[in-house]
Amino acid sequence: MGRLLIQISDCHLPAEAGGLFRGIDPERHLRAIADDVRMRFPDADALLLTGDLTHHGGADAYRRLLDTLDGLAPARYWLPGNHDLNGVMADVARESLGQKCIDLVRWRLLMLDSTARPDGRGGGSLAQEELDWLEASLATAGERPVLIALHHNPVPVDSEWQDQIMLGNAADFWRVVDRYPRVRGVIFGHVHQVQALQRGDVALYSAPSTAVQFQARQAEFSLEPDPQLAQPGYRVYRLQDDGRLKSRVLRVECGA
Ligand SMILES: [Fe+2]
């Protein structure tokens, strides 16, 4: 039977409704994404919101985000990105949102905060206590296959400017993860592009942004010029009972 998860990332909602982000209305895009999820995946088990949910927005921006995504799945969980305000998220969080260790039938899902030690350019790291918590949560996972979610990419994506702002202490992260062969997948946002990579037995997936995409494999920042690849999107994961992880990307046409 498995579990069906929907990853929504990098929504960059502005502080006030109607505000723009890189020339588009992120809230309109998010509504289109929500409509698509509602139509295609009425059986979704959970939403995973993997950071940059607002663009330094306040409580109102987070409430608009949650209202837009209301009713898409019986459970939803979030973690912060470099553009988020952790304190505001904690104030606004309701239901299961702030939960970090979630057991979904056979699987264990771990939600990490990678916004420690910000470098001022978008980079972030896992605090030591977050690494300790990861280790403890992996140690108690037993035979469960594990999926780990965080905002920053823990591997390079072959874009010089983005690789400079990836997870700052990726080596520390892998030092922990590599000791636990039950980790099947690591998923992230941040890069505003679709990536599907492999590191040993661990599959690595990024979700596209629900707002705007960045061109892959570039030395410097560049918006995605290909109209198809520039469309907003989201990722779907099937966590199978046999321990296999399946994923695909859905894109939503919603104009400029
Ligand atoms: Fe972002």
Side-chain angles (χ1 to χ4, degrees), residues 112-159:
L112 295 178
D113 177 349
S114 61
T115 62
R117 300 196 294 279
D119 64 0
R121 301 177 304 164
S125 294
L126 297 163
Q128 186 56 51
E129 53 265 36
E130 197 75 352
L131 286 164
D132 294 344
W133 179 85
L134 171 64
E135 171 104 50
S137 304
L138 289 170
T140 58
E143 293 300 304
R144 291 173 179 279
V146 177
L147 181 67
I148 298 173
L150 75 172
H151 180 69
H152 291 85
N153 46 310
V155 290
V157 292
D158 200 20
S159 267

mmCIF file of all heavy atoms in Angstrom, residues 112-159:
data_model
loop_
_atom_site.group_PDB
_atom_site.id
_atom_site.type_symbol
_atom_site.label_atom_id
_atom_site.label_comp_id
_atom_site.label_asym_id
_atom_site.label_seq_id
_atom_site.Cartn_x
_atom_site.Cartn_y
_atom_site.Cartn_z
ATOM 1 N N LEU A 112 14.696 18.066 8.977
ATOM 2 C CA LEU A 112 15.849 18.755 9.566
ATOM 3 C C LEU A 112 15.798 20.259 9.300
ATOM 4 O O LEU A 112 15.368 20.703 8.233
ATOM 5 C CB LEU A 112 17.147 18.205 8.977
ATOM 6 C CG LEU A 112 17.472 16.747 9.270
ATOM 7 C CD1 LEU A 112 18.778 16.363 8.566
ATOM 8 C CD2 LEU A 112 17.575 16.506 10.761
ATOM 9 N N ASP A 113 16.316 21.004 10.265
ATOM 10 C CA ASP A 113 16.470 22.456 10.120
ATOM 11 C C ASP A 113 17.930 22.736 9.727
ATOM 12 O O ASP A 113 18.852 22.516 10.522
ATOM 13 C CB ASP A 113 16.134 23.123 11.461
ATOM 14 C CG ASP A 113 16.342 24.633 11.434
ATOM 15 O OD1 ASP A 113 16.935 25.150 10.466
ATOM 16 O OD2 ASP A 113 15.920 25.291 12.403
ATOM 17 N N SER A 114 18.125 23.211 8.488
ATOM 18 C CA SER A 114 19.493 23.465 7.999
ATOM 19 C C SER A 114 19.804 24.959 7.942
ATOM 20 O O SER A 114 20.647 25.393 7.159
ATOM 21 C CB SER A 114 19.677 22.831 6.614
ATOM 22 O OG SER A 114 18.764 23.390 5.676
ATOM 23 N N THR A 115 19.124 25.756 8.787
ATOM 24 C CA THR A 115 19.304 27.212 8.704
ATOM 25 C C THR A 115 20.273 27.757 9.761
ATOM 26 O O THR A 115 20.347 28.970 9.952
ATOM 27 C CB THR A 115 17.952 27.952 8.818
ATOM 28 O OG1 THR A 115 17.374 27.662 10.104
ATOM 29 C CG2 THR A 115 17.004 27.515 7.719
ATOM 30 N N ALA A 116 21.010 26.883 10.442
ATOM 31 C CA ALA A 116 21.992 27.375 11.422
ATOM 32 C C ALA A 116 23.191 27.991 10.698
ATOM 33 O O ALA A 116 23.468 27.659 9.547
ATOM 34 C CB ALA A 116 22.466 26.218 12.309
ATOM 35 N N ARG A 117 23.868 28.892 11.383
ATOM 36 C CA ARG A 117 25.068 29.551 10.858
ATOM 37 C C ARG A 117 24.873 30.064 9.426
ATOM 38 O O ARG A 117 25.608 29.680 8.490
ATOM 39 C CB ARG A 117 26.273 28.606 10.912
ATOM 40 C CG ARG A 117 26.589 28.142 12.327
ATOM 41 C CD ARG A 117 27.965 27.531 12.460
ATOM 42 N NE ARG A 117 28.145 26.291 11.752
ATOM 43 C CZ ARG A 117 27.748 25.096 12.219
ATOM 44 N NH1 ARG A 117 27.122 25.007 13.380
ATOM 45 N NH2 ARG A 117 27.970 24.009 11.526
ATOM 46 N N PRO A 118 23.863 30.936 9.208
ATOM 47 C CA PRO A 118 23.649 31.475 7.851
ATOM 48 C C PRO A 118 24.853 32.268 7.381
ATOM 49 O O PRO A 118 25.499 32.950 8.177
ATOM 50 C CB PRO A 118 22.420 32.384 8.024
ATOM 51 C CG PRO A 118 22.369 32.697 9.481
ATOM 52 C CD PRO A 118 22.941 31.507 10.187
ATOM 53 N N ASP A 119 25.189 32.142 6.105
ATOM 54 C CA ASP A 119 26.382 32.831 5.595
ATOM 55 C C ASP A 119 26.037 34.181 4.961
ATOM 56 O O ASP A 119 26.920 34.853 4.424
ATOM 57 C CB ASP A 119 27.120 31.938 4.589
ATOM 58 C CG ASP A 119 26.287 31.650 3.347
ATOM 59 O OD1 ASP A 119 25.136 32.141 3.274
ATOM 60 O OD2 ASP A 119 26.787 30.946 2.451
ATOM 61 N N GLY A 120 24.762 34.564 5.005
ATOM 62 C CA GLY A 120 24.351 35.848 4.448
ATOM 63 C C GLY A 120 24.127 35.817 2.948
ATOM 64 O O GLY A 120 23.647 36.784 2.366
ATOM 65 N N ARG A 121 24.462 34.699 2.318
ATOM 66 C CA ARG A 121 24.272 34.597 0.863
ATOM 67 C C ARG A 121 23.230 33.537 0.510
ATOM 68 O O ARG A 121 22.973 33.305 -0.670
ATOM 69 C CB ARG A 121 25.587 34.228 0.175
ATOM 70 C CG ARG A 121 26.713 35.212 0.398
ATOM 71 C CD ARG A 121 27.988 34.708 -0.274
ATOM 72 N NE ARG A 121 28.337 33.383 0.197
ATOM 73 C CZ ARG A 121 29.207 32.568 -0.414
ATOM 74 N NH1 ARG A 121 29.777 32.942 -1.544
ATOM 75 N NH2 ARG A 121 29.496 31.391 0.100
ATOM 76 N N GLY A 122 22.679 32.863 1.523
ATOM 77 C CA GLY A 122 21.687 31.809 1.267
ATOM 78 C C GLY A 122 22.098 30.456 1.808
ATOM 79 O O GLY A 122 21.291 29.544 1.884
ATOM 80 N N GLY A 123 23.363 30.319 2.166
ATOM 81 C CA GLY A 123 23.831 29.046 2.713
ATOM 82 C C GLY A 123 23.335 28.842 4.143
ATOM 83 O O GLY A 123 22.855 29.772 4.794
ATOM 84 N N GLY A 124 23.431 27.620 4.618
ATOM 85 C CA GLY A 124 23.037 27.301 5.990
ATOM 86 C C GLY A 124 23.604 25.953 6.366
ATOM 87 O O GLY A 124 24.083 25.209 5.503
ATOM 88 N N SER A 125 23.557 25.653 7.654
ATOM 89 C CA SER A 125 24.151 24.411 8.163
ATOM 90 C C SER A 125 23.223 23.752 9.168
ATOM 91 O O SER A 125 22.232 24.340 9.598
ATOM 92 C CB SER A 125 25.495 24.713 8.844
ATOM 93 O OG SER A 125 26.446 25.180 7.905
ATOM 94 N N LEU A 126 23.588 22.536 9.537
ATOM 95 C CA LEU A 126 22.897 21.828 10.610
ATOM 96 C C LEU A 126 23.622 22.132 11.915
ATOM 97 O O LEU A 126 24.838 21.927 12.008
ATOM 98 C CB LEU A 126 22.923 20.319 10.345
ATOM 99 C CG LEU A 126 22.198 19.861 9.071
ATOM 100 C CD1 LEU A 126 22.630 18.455 8.689
ATOM 101 C CD2 LEU A 126 20.693 19.933 9.248
ATOM 102 N N ALA A 127 22.906 22.629 12.903
ATOM 103 C CA ALA A 127 23.511 22.865 14.215
ATOM 104 C C ALA A 127 23.953 21.524 14.811
ATOM 105 O O ALA A 127 23.427 20.476 14.439
ATOM 106 C CB ALA A 127 22.490 23.530 15.136
ATOM 107 N N GLN A 128 24.897 21.580 15.735
ATOM 108 C CA GLN A 128 25.372 20.337 16.340
ATOM 109 C C GLN A 128 24.233 19.557 16.986
ATOM 110 O O GLN A 128 24.153 18.333 16.865
ATOM 111 C CB GLN A 128 26.477 20.634 17.369
ATOM 112 C CG GLN A 128 27.121 19.375 17.943
ATOM 113 C CD GLN A 128 27.706 18.454 16.854
ATOM 114 O OE1 GLN A 128 28.459 18.915 15.997
ATOM 115 N NE2 GLN A 128 27.352 17.175 16.871
ATOM 116 N N GLU A 129 23.309 20.289 17.644
ATOM 117 C CA GLU A 129 22.200 19.558 18.288
ATOM 118 C C GLU A 129 21.283 18.908 17.249
ATOM 119 O O GLU A 129 20.677 17.868 17.510
ATOM 120 C CB GLU A 129 21.397 20.462 19.249
ATOM 121 C CG GLU A 129 20.888 21.739 18.681
ATOM 122 C CD GLU A 129 21.818 22.925 18.953
ATOM 123 O OE1 GLU A 129 23.057 22.756 18.954
ATOM 124 O OE2 GLU A 129 21.282 24.023 19.149
ATOM 125 N N GLU A 130 21.210 19.507 16.052
ATOM 126 C CA GLU A 130 20.402 18.895 14.989
ATOM 127 C C GLU A 130 21.085 17.609 14.491
ATOM 128 O O GLU A 130 20.416 16.606 14.236
ATOM 129 C CB GLU A 130 20.229 19.911 13.842
ATOM 130 C CG GLU A 130 19.112 19.584 12.868
ATOM 131 C CD GLU A 130 17.723 19.868 13.432
ATOM 132 O OE1 GLU A 130 17.610 20.177 14.627
ATOM 133 O OE2 GLU A 130 16.743 19.761 12.661
ATOM 134 N N LEU A 131 22.397 17.655 14.371
ATOM 135 C CA LEU A 131 23.143 16.455 13.984
ATOM 136 C C LEU A 131 23.004 15.359 15.044
ATOM 137 O O LEU A 131 22.834 14.175 14.714
ATOM 138 C CB LEU A 131 24.626 16.791 13.781
ATOM 139 C CG LEU A 131 24.959 17.572 12.511
ATOM 140 C CD1 LEU A 131 26.361 18.174 12.612
ATOM 141 C CD2 LEU A 131 24.851 16.676 11.271
ATOM 142 N N ASP A 132 23.052 15.755 16.316
ATOM 143 C CA ASP A 132 22.895 14.784 17.404
ATOM 144 C C ASP A 132 21.502 14.166 17.361
ATOM 145 O O ASP A 132 21.323 12.965 17.564
ATOM 146 C CB ASP A 132 23.120 15.458 18.775
ATOM 147 C CG ASP A 132 24.562 15.920 18.948
ATOM 148 O OD1 ASP A 132 25.443 15.475 18.176
ATOM 149 O OD2 ASP A 132 24.803 16.758 19.846
ATOM 150 N N TRP A 133 20.508 15.025 17.108
ATOM 151 C CA TRP A 133 19.133 14.537 17.033
ATOM 152 C C TRP A 133 18.963 13.582 15.842
ATOM 153 O O TRP A 133 18.294 12.544 15.954
ATOM 154 C CB TRP A 133 18.180 15.734 16.896
ATOM 155 C CG TRP A 133 16.750 15.321 16.780
ATOM 156 C CD1 TRP A 133 15.894 15.038 17.808
ATOM 157 C CD2 TRP A 133 16.012 15.103 15.569
ATOM 158 N NE1 TRP A 133 14.676 14.657 17.297
ATOM 159 C CE2 TRP A 133 14.720 14.684 15.938
ATOM 160 C CE3 TRP A 133 16.332 15.216 14.212
ATOM 161 C CZ2 TRP A 133 13.742 14.390 14.992
ATOM 162 C CZ3 TRP A 133 15.357 14.912 13.276
ATOM 163 C CH2 TRP A 133 14.072 14.512 13.665
ATOM 164 N N LEU A 134 19.591 13.917 14.716
ATOM 165 C CA LEU A 134 19.539 13.039 13.537
ATOM 166 C C LEU A 134 20.113 11.668 13.879
ATOM 167 O O LEU A 134 19.506 10.629 13.576
ATOM 168 C CB LEU A 134 20.318 13.691 12.385
ATOM 169 C CG LEU A 134 20.550 12.826 11.153
ATOM 170 C CD1 LEU A 134 19.231 12.451 10.472
ATOM 171 C CD2 LEU A 134 21.464 13.560 10.151
ATOM 172 N N GLU A 135 21.264 11.687 14.518
ATOM 173 C CA GLU A 135 21.919 10.427 14.890
ATOM 174 C C GLU A 135 21.016 9.588 15.802
ATOM 175 O O GLU A 135 20.818 8.385 15.577
ATOM 176 C CB GLU A 135 23.242 10.744 15.606
ATOM 177 C CG GLU A 135 23.902 9.557 16.231
ATOM 178 C CD GLU A 135 25.089 9.068 15.430
ATOM 179 O OE1 GLU A 135 25.933 9.902 15.090
ATOM 180 O OE2 GLU A 135 25.151 7.852 15.158
ATOM 181 N N ALA A 136 20.437 10.236 16.801
ATOM 182 C CA ALA A 136 19.567 9.513 17.746
ATOM 183 C C ALA A 136 18.330 8.972 17.035
ATOM 184 O O ALA A 136 17.893 7.847 17.301
ATOM 185 C CB ALA A 136 19.168 10.448 18.888
ATOM 186 N N SER A 137 17.782 9.750 16.109
ATOM 187 C CA SER A 137 16.559 9.327 15.416
ATOM 188 C C SER A 137 16.849 8.197 14.442
ATOM 189 O O SER A 137 15.995 7.336 14.208
ATOM 190 C CB SER A 137 15.943 10.518 14.669
ATOM 191 O OG SER A 137 15.707 11.577 15.570
ATOM 192 N N LEU A 138 18.034 8.175 13.874
ATOM 193 C CA LEU A 138 18.417 7.068 12.996
ATOM 194 C C LEU A 138 18.688 5.811 13.825
ATOM 195 O O LEU A 138 18.338 4.698 13.423
ATOM 196 C CB LEU A 138 19.660 7.444 12.181
ATOM 197 C CG LEU A 138 19.435 8.491 11.087
ATOM 198 C CD1 LEU A 138 20.761 8.958 10.507
ATOM 199 C CD2 LEU A 138 18.532 7.943 9.988
ATOM 200 N N ALA A 139 19.289 6.022 14.988
ATOM 201 C CA ALA A 139 19.631 4.880 15.834
ATOM 202 C C ALA A 139 18.392 4.138 16.323
ATOM 203 O O ALA A 139 18.417 2.934 16.534
ATOM 204 C CB ALA A 139 20.472 5.337 17.025
ATOM 205 N N THR A 140 17.276 4.872 16.500
ATOM 206 C CA THR A 140 16.051 4.232 17.009
ATOM 207 C C THR A 140 15.102 3.822 15.885
ATOM 208 O O THR A 140 13.999 3.350 16.150
ATOM 209 C CB THR A 140 15.298 5.169 17.977
ATOM 210 O OG1 THR A 140 14.994 6.398 17.283
ATOM 211 C CG2 THR A 140 16.130 5.468 19.203
ATOM 212 N N ALA A 141 15.524 4.011 14.635
ATOM 213 C CA ALA A 141 14.636 3.687 13.507
ATOM 214 C C ALA A 141 14.503 2.184 13.306
ATOM 215 O O ALA A 141 13.562 1.718 12.649
ATOM 216 C CB ALA A 141 15.145 4.350 12.224
ATOM 217 N N GLY A 142 15.434 1.421 13.847
ATOM 218 C CA GLY A 142 15.367 -0.035 13.705
ATOM 219 C C GLY A 142 15.433 -0.451 12.243
ATOM 220 O O GLY A 142 16.295 0.006 11.498
ATOM 221 N N GLU A 143 14.490 -1.291 11.855
ATOM 222 C CA GLU A 143 14.483 -1.808 10.482
ATOM 223 C C GLU A 143 13.746 -0.901 9.513
ATOM 224 O O GLU A 143 13.613 -1.208 8.329
ATOM 225 C CB GLU A 143 13.830 -3.192 10.467
ATOM 226 C CG GLU A 143 14.627 -4.249 11.201
ATOM 227 C CD GLU A 143 16.012 -4.427 10.589
ATOM 228 O OE1 GLU A 143 16.097 -4.704 9.384
ATOM 229 O OE2 GLU A 143 17.009 -4.256 11.324
ATOM 230 N N ARG A 144 13.249 0.226 10.005
ATOM 231 C CA ARG A 144 12.465 1.095 9.125
ATOM 232 C C ARG A 144 13.339 1.724 8.044
ATOM 233 O O ARG A 144 14.411 2.244 8.361
ATOM 234 C CB ARG A 144 11.856 2.248 9.922
ATOM 235 C CG ARG A 144 10.789 1.871 10.889
ATOM 236 C CD ARG A 144 10.408 3.090 11.723
ATOM 237 N NE ARG A 144 9.347 2.773 12.662
ATOM 238 C CZ ARG A 144 8.065 2.736 12.332
ATOM 239 N NH1 ARG A 144 7.689 3.041 11.118
ATOM 240 N NH2 ARG A 144 7.160 2.413 13.222
ATOM 241 N N PRO A 145 12.879 1.743 6.793
ATOM 242 C CA PRO A 145 13.551 2.587 5.814
ATOM 243 C C PRO A 145 13.335 4.054 6.202
ATOM 244 O O PRO A 145 12.289 4.393 6.764
ATOM 245 C CB PRO A 145 12.849 2.259 4.487
ATOM 246 C CG PRO A 145 11.731 1.348 4.802
ATOM 247 C CD PRO A 145 11.726 1.036 6.267
ATOM 248 N N VAL A 146 14.323 4.899 5.912
ATOM 249 C CA VAL A 146 14.262 6.291 6.371
ATOM 250 C C VAL A 146 14.350 7.254 5.195
ATOM 251 O O VAL A 146 15.161 7.063 4.269
ATOM 252 C CB VAL A 146 15.415 6.591 7.364
ATOM 253 C CG1 VAL A 146 15.400 8.056 7.794
ATOM 254 C CG2 VAL A 146 15.326 5.675 8.579
ATOM 255 N N LEU A 147 13.520 8.281 5.254
ATOM 256 C CA LEU A 147 13.581 9.397 4.309
ATOM 257 C C LEU A 147 13.915 10.650 5.113
ATOM 258 O O LEU A 147 13.272 10.918 6.129
ATOM 259 C CB LEU A 147 12.230 9.562 3.602
ATOM 260 C CG LEU A 147 12.133 10.680 2.566
ATOM 261 C CD1 LEU A 147 13.025 10.381 1.364
ATOM 262 C CD2 LEU A 147 10.692 10.875 2.106
ATOM 263 N N ILE A 148 14.935 11.385 4.663
ATOM 264 C CA ILE A 148 15.361 12.613 5.348
ATOM 265 C C ILE A 148 15.045 13.808 4.459
ATOM 266 O O ILE A 148 15.360 13.795 3.263
ATOM 267 C CB ILE A 148 16.882 12.582 5.641
ATOM 268 C CG1 ILE A 148 17.221 11.414 6.571
ATOM 269 C CG2 ILE A 148 17.343 13.902 6.253
ATOM 270 C CD1 ILE A 148 18.723 11.205 6.776
ATOM 271 N N ALA A 149 14.439 14.832 5.061
ATOM 272 C CA ALA A 149 14.141 16.064 4.322
ATOM 273 C C ALA A 149 14.857 17.238 4.982
ATOM 274 O O ALA A 149 14.927 17.325 6.212
ATOM 275 C CB ALA A 149 12.633 16.311 4.296
ATOM 276 N N LEU A 150 15.414 18.114 4.148
ATOM 277 C CA LEU A 150 16.026 19.354 4.627
ATOM 278 C C LEU A 150 15.962 20.373 3.494
ATOM 279 O O LEU A 150 15.651 20.005 2.351
ATOM 280 C CB LEU A 150 17.471 19.131 5.108
ATOM 281 C CG LEU A 150 18.591 18.938 4.084
ATOM 282 C CD1 LEU A 150 19.938 18.945 4.814
ATOM 283 C CD2 LEU A 150 18.474 17.652 3.300
ATOM 284 N N HIS A 151 16.238 21.640 3.795
ATOM 285 C CA HIS A 151 16.130 22.650 2.754
ATOM 286 C C HIS A 151 17.349 22.681 1.824
ATOM 287 O O HIS A 151 17.221 22.686 0.604
ATOM 288 C CB HIS A 151 15.934 24.039 3.377
ATOM 289 C CG HIS A 151 15.820 25.135 2.345
ATOM 290 N ND1 HIS A 151 14.727 25.245 1.511
ATOM 291 C CD2 HIS A 151 16.671 26.127 1.971
ATOM 292 C CE1 HIS A 151 14.908 26.272 0.685
ATOM 293 N NE2 HIS A 151 16.074 26.824 0.935
ATOM 294 N N HIS A 152 18.533 22.710 2.414
ATOM 295 C CA HIS A 152 19.750 22.895 1.611
ATOM 296 C C HIS A 152 20.228 21.582 0.999
ATOM 297 O O HIS A 152 20.208 20.536 1.655
ATOM 298 C CB HIS A 152 20.867 23.484 2.474
ATOM 299 C CG HIS A 152 20.610 24.914 2.878
ATOM 300 N ND1 HIS A 152 19.850 25.238 3.985
ATOM 301 C CD2 HIS A 152 21.000 26.084 2.327
ATOM 302 C CE1 HIS A 152 19.790 26.568 4.094
ATOM 303 N NE2 HIS A 152 20.479 27.104 3.103
ATOM 304 N N ASN A 153 20.716 21.649 -0.227
ATOM 305 C CA ASN A 153 21.256 20.459 -0.880
ATOM 306 C C ASN A 153 22.541 20.015 -0.177
ATOM 307 O O ASN A 153 23.474 20.805 -0.027
ATOM 308 C CB ASN A 153 21.504 20.702 -2.381
ATOM 309 C CG ASN A 153 22.211 22.001 -2.704
ATOM 310 O OD1 ASN A 153 21.802 23.052 -2.235
ATOM 311 N ND2 ASN A 153 23.262 21.943 -3.490
ATOM 312 N N PRO A 154 22.609 18.727 0.213
ATOM 313 C CA PRO A 154 23.801 18.221 0.889
ATOM 314 C C PRO A 154 24.842 17.675 -0.083
ATOM 315 O O PRO A 154 25.823 17.079 0.349
ATOM 316 C CB PRO A 154 23.244 17.116 1.783
ATOM 317 C CG PRO A 154 22.070 16.597 1.021
ATOM 318 C CD PRO A 154 21.511 17.746 0.222
ATOM 319 N N VAL A 155 24.614 17.857 -1.357
ATOM 320 C CA VAL A 155 25.580 17.480 -2.407
ATOM 321 C C VAL A 155 25.629 18.623 -3.413
ATOM 322 O O VAL A 155 24.646 19.358 -3.562
ATOM 323 C CB VAL A 155 25.170 16.181 -3.139
ATOM 324 C CG1 VAL A 155 25.307 14.966 -2.237
ATOM 325 C CG2 VAL A 155 23.753 16.293 -3.686
ATOM 326 N N PRO A 156 26.756 18.774 -4.124
ATOM 327 C CA PRO A 156 26.803 19.810 -5.165
ATOM 328 C C PRO A 156 25.865 19.462 -6.313
ATOM 329 O O PRO A 156 25.543 18.290 -6.536
ATOM 330 C CB PRO A 156 28.264 19.767 -5.653
ATOM 331 C CG PRO A 156 29.000 18.878 -4.715
ATOM 332 C CD PRO A 156 28.014 18.027 -3.996
ATOM 333 N N VAL A 157 25.425 20.494 -7.038
ATOM 334 C CA VAL A 157 24.541 20.261 -8.180
ATOM 335 C C VAL A 157 25.169 20.775 -9.490
ATOM 336 O O VAL A 157 24.476 21.016 -10.469
ATOM 337 C CB VAL A 157 23.148 20.893 -7.970
ATOM 338 C CG1 VAL A 157 22.397 20.169 -6.857
ATOM 339 C CG2 VAL A 157 23.252 22.390 -7.666
ATOM 340 N N ASP A 158 26.487 20.965 -9.455
ATOM 341 C CA ASP A 158 27.218 21.332 -10.664
ATOM 342 C C ASP A 158 26.887 22.740 -11.161
ATOM 343 O O ASP A 158 26.892 23.009 -12.355
ATOM 344 C CB ASP A 158 26.955 20.283 -11.766
ATOM 345 C CG ASP A 158 28.025 20.305 -12.842
ATOM 346 O OD1 ASP A 158 29.127 20.812 -12.569
ATOM 347 O OD2 ASP A 158 27.742 19.830 -13.958
ATOM 348 N N SER A 159 26.525 23.605 -10.215
ATOM 349 C CA SER A 159 26.350 25.042 -10.505
ATOM 350 C C SER A 159 27.231 25.784 -9.516
ATOM 351 O O SER A 159 26.986 25.720 -8.305
ATOM 352 C CB SER A 159 24.896 25.487 -10.296
ATOM 353 O OG SER A 159 24.160 25.415 -11.469
#
